[in-house]
Amino acid sequence: AIKDNQSAYLTAVGGAVCDALCRRFGGLAGCRITAMSGLALVAVFLAGGVFASDAYVAVALLSLCFGFTLFADTCYWAAATYASGEHTASATGLVNFGGNIPGLLAPAFGFAIDHFGWVPTIASGCVFAVIGAVLWLFVRLKDASGAVP
């Protein structure tokens, strides 16, 4: 399977893709395309990994799911930078803080596993990945003039 350090390469790939798309299409479109495609692949690989009948296939697919989570992460920081201008440090601090909030929900996952089982609980991540992708349709970033495109 893909090891952690190999999955982490997708962070660099995601950053390069986001940068290239931002240069070509602008910050909003570049971040949106990167995030939405990454999150869609997260949902696909997570579903495949959860329902795989072979353990090796499951590990490979779940590793790719993790890798594309890292791929999509890059655009959150870029979007925070585009959106906040001179307040980038505060904005990225909030992104980092917000990314840690789901850890507070850990007891809920234990409850869900106890009541629904491992497969439905882990597969629910597919739904959240798709919701995350759709939410990018509502993200608005200011351009250099301060106008919202």
Side-chain angles (χ1 to χ4, degrees):
I2 299 172
K3 297 181 181 182
D4 285 346
N5 63 345
Q6 293 167 327
S7 289
Y9 294 137
L10 284 170
T11 302
V13 172
V17 167
C18 187
D19 283 345
L21 290 171
C22 287
R23 278 191 302 276
R24 181 163 173 91
F25 301 112
L28 176 59
C31 291
R32 184 179 282 165
I33 293 166
T34 305
M36 293 179 76
S37 61
L39 289 169
L41 289 168
V42 165
V44 168
F45 290 128
L46 180 58
V50 167
F51 295 107
S53 57
D54 180 78
Y56 292 105
V57 171
V59 169
L61 292 171
L62 292 173
S63 295
L64 286 167
C65 171
F66 173 66
F68 279 98
T69 300
L70 298 175
F71 176 95
D73 281 352
T74 60
C75 61
Y76 308 145
W77 302 99
T81 300
Y82 283 115
S84 60
E86 65 185 44
H87 304 287
T88 298
S90 297
T92 56
L94 285 173
V95 169
N96 196 40
F97 171 73
N100 288 305
I101 290 175
L104 298 172
L105 302 175
F109 288 101
F111 176 83
I113 290 167
D114 287 345
H115 285 77
F116 304 111
W118 280 97
V119 171
T121 301
I122 295 173
S124 71
C126 299
V127 174
F128 288 107
V130 170
I131 290 170
V134 170
L135 288 175
W136 269 92
L137 295 172
F138 300 98
V139 171
R140 300 290 178 257
L141 301 176
K142 294 178 184 175
D143 65 14
S145 70
V148 177

